[in-house]
Amino acid sequence: MQAKSALITGITGQDGSYLAELLLGKNYAVHGVVRRASGPNTSRIDHLIGDESLADRFHIHHGDLADANSLRHLIDRTQPDEIYNLGAQSHVRVSFDQPEYTVDVTGTAVIRLLEAIRSAMEHGSKPIRFYQAGSSEMFGSAKPPQNEQTRFEPRSPYACAKVYAHYQVVNYRESYGLFAANGILFNHESPRRGETFVTKKITKAAARIKLGLQEKLTLGNLDARRDWGFAGDYVEAMWRMLQHEEPDDFVIATGESISIRDFLSIVFDHLDLDWERYVDTDPRFYRPAEVDYLLGDATKARDSLGWQPQHDIRSLAKMMVEHDLKHEARLARAGS
Ligand code: NAP
Ligand code: G4F
């Protein structure tokens, strides 16, 4: 059987890098969309770009979710069997400062992709399956636990954009019979997590405090609760959604939710430190509206996709802080 081909938007991000590794391990040809930046933005996939054994199966293309033509051309050129739309302005706090941009890239871009797929298929391309990276932020203030039946009550421009994208995917599925699936993923983290998200901010700062490189960590609301899983487990769920016989929507979560305070305690305890001595708060890091309590029920994914997470919050926190300890020590040695 001929190997499949996948097009990934957001390949330079946390999930894009893990998904590329997963698909390459399954013998796919992988095409990644990289947007033009004034500096290098490929650090999470440089090991794949530099791997000569992947040269005929791993390809990077310039494109932008704000630019419909670039997306259409990419689909024409790469002829994918599967498209994973992971690209987004993905920071909730930033979405309050840049609402219009966030809605364009995180919400409207989904229409650009769905229309490009519809048009390619009308002009005789092979069938293309589409994955949309939906978010537990869409549940917002809905009472936990949240599953596929829970009403969306979004609390940020980012969440509103994701809700819009979600319903467009459902709409294209129903109107045109596209194989389009929504993953409703709860927070997932890893050593590759962006540095301004709270878990990474904490593990990096804790490691630096342990090494004597930093004295304080300043955060926002410590009482919010999140259902945190490992990104490597969650990209496996994305792939399974596109191998399912029918396109559908799935919640992906661990089923355990803890507060930022609890996460601080797990991380600092691991380093034999008392977090309360080092952490302070600043309203600068609060949001105009907060999502207080996310707790996912992934029963449907477990039963229909056979998916379950391999990591829980404790093994994830340990993985992240151990990585950051080594990384920060290496940086300090290189700088001295
Ligand atoms: P991430 O690390 O922030 O990566 C976002 C990716 O989108 C980056 O590759 C970024 O490129 C790209 N991007 C941003 N603007 C773009 C544009 N205009 N055109 C093309 N690409 C653009 O996010 P992530 O954590 O991997 O999350 C992946 C997806 O899942 C996102 O859609 C996110 O909203 C969603 N999601 C994430 C979580 C989570 O907990 N991680 C949970 C639910 C849903 P640059 O490298 O150039 O910035
Ligand atoms: O780490 P966060 O910024 O993640 P958030 O807002 O839950 O969003 C992430 O998960 C979503 C899935 O539910 C994704 F869709 C989205 O793309 C992103 O990946 O914040 C988590 C919590 C919030 O309640 C925030 O108020 O941590 C609280 N927090 C407290 N201090 C902080 C900080 N968040 C950040 N980023 N920085 C702080 O200093």
Side-chain angles (χ1 to χ4, degrees), residues 9-17 33-37 41-42 44 63-66 71 85-91 101 105-106 131-137 158 162 183-189 192-194 197 228 231 234 238:
T9 73
I11 196 163
T12 56
Q14 170 188 255
D15 292 6
S17 66
V33 184
V34 176
R35 66 177 167 152
R36 166 79 174 81
N41 59 350
T42 53
R44 293 186 182 97
D64 200 300
L65 285 165
L71 302 174
N85 182 34
L86 310 186
Q89 191 303 93
S90 71
H91 203 284
Y101 175 75
V105 168
T106 306
Y131 172 83
Q132 165 58 16
S135 166
S136 52
E137 275 293 304
Y158 168 82
K162 286 287 186 187
I184 308 175
L185 273 54
F186 282 63
N187 298 51
H188 45 279
E189 321 292 309
R192 298 181 195 169
R193 185 59 145 149
F197 296 97
W228 279 295
Y234 285 40
M238 298 174 189

Side-chain angles (χ1 to χ4, degrees), residues 77 112 132 157 174 195 209 211 264 279 283 311 313 330:
R77 276 169 57 198
R112 298 184 185 113
Q132 165 58 16
E174 293 175 355
E195 297 198 349
I209 289 167
L211 294 167
L264 280 163
V279 174
H311 282 274
I313 184 61
R330 205 165 38 238

Side-chain angles (χ1 to χ4, degrees), residues 90 135-136 158 187 193 196 198 201 220-221 224 226 287 290:
S90 71
S135 166
S136 52
Y158 168 82
N187 298 51
R193 185 59 145 149
T196 60
V198 77
K201 194 170 160 185
N221 175 20
R226 291 290 183 274
R287 290 150 191 208
E290 179 61 282

Side-chain angles (χ1 to χ4, degrees), residues 236-297:
E236 167 79 25
M238 298 174 189
W239 176 75
R240 288 187 186 218
M241 282 181 223
L242 293 200
Q243 314 316 306
H244 196 52
E245 57 271 22
E246 295 292 335
D248 207 342
D249 307 326
F250 294 95
V251 158
I252 300 297
T254 68
E256 184 182 7
S257 180
I258 65 170
S259 68
I260 318 296
R261 255 175 233 287
D262 297 331
F263 187 78
L264 280 163
S265 176
I266 292 172
V267 170
F268 279 74
D269 284 359
H270 184 71
L271 301 175
D272 291 322
L273 297 170
D274 174 6
W275 71 267
E276 297 193 61
R277 287 186 51 203
Y278 303 99
V279 174
D280 54 25
T281 58
D282 187 322
R284 193 158 53 101
F285 294 110
Y286 279 67
R287 290 150 191 208
E290 179 61 282
V291 169
D292 293 320
Y293 193 171
L294 293 175
L295 168 65
D297 168 9

Side-chain angles (χ1 to χ4, degrees), residues 98-141:
Q98 299 186 339
E100 187 182 348
Y101 175 75
T102 301
V103 165
D104 188 36
V105 168
T106 306
T108 312
V110 176
I111 281 284
R112 298 184 185 113
L113 282 165
L114 290 167
E115 276 295 296
I117 293 170
R118 188 165 80 89
S119 160
M121 285 173 55
E122 275 177 9
H123 290 89
S125 89
K126 60 186 166 184
I128 300 171
R129 296 188 168 201
F130 180 75
Y131 172 83
Q132 165 58 16
S135 166
S136 52
E137 275 293 304
M138 299 189 295
F139 293 125
S141 46

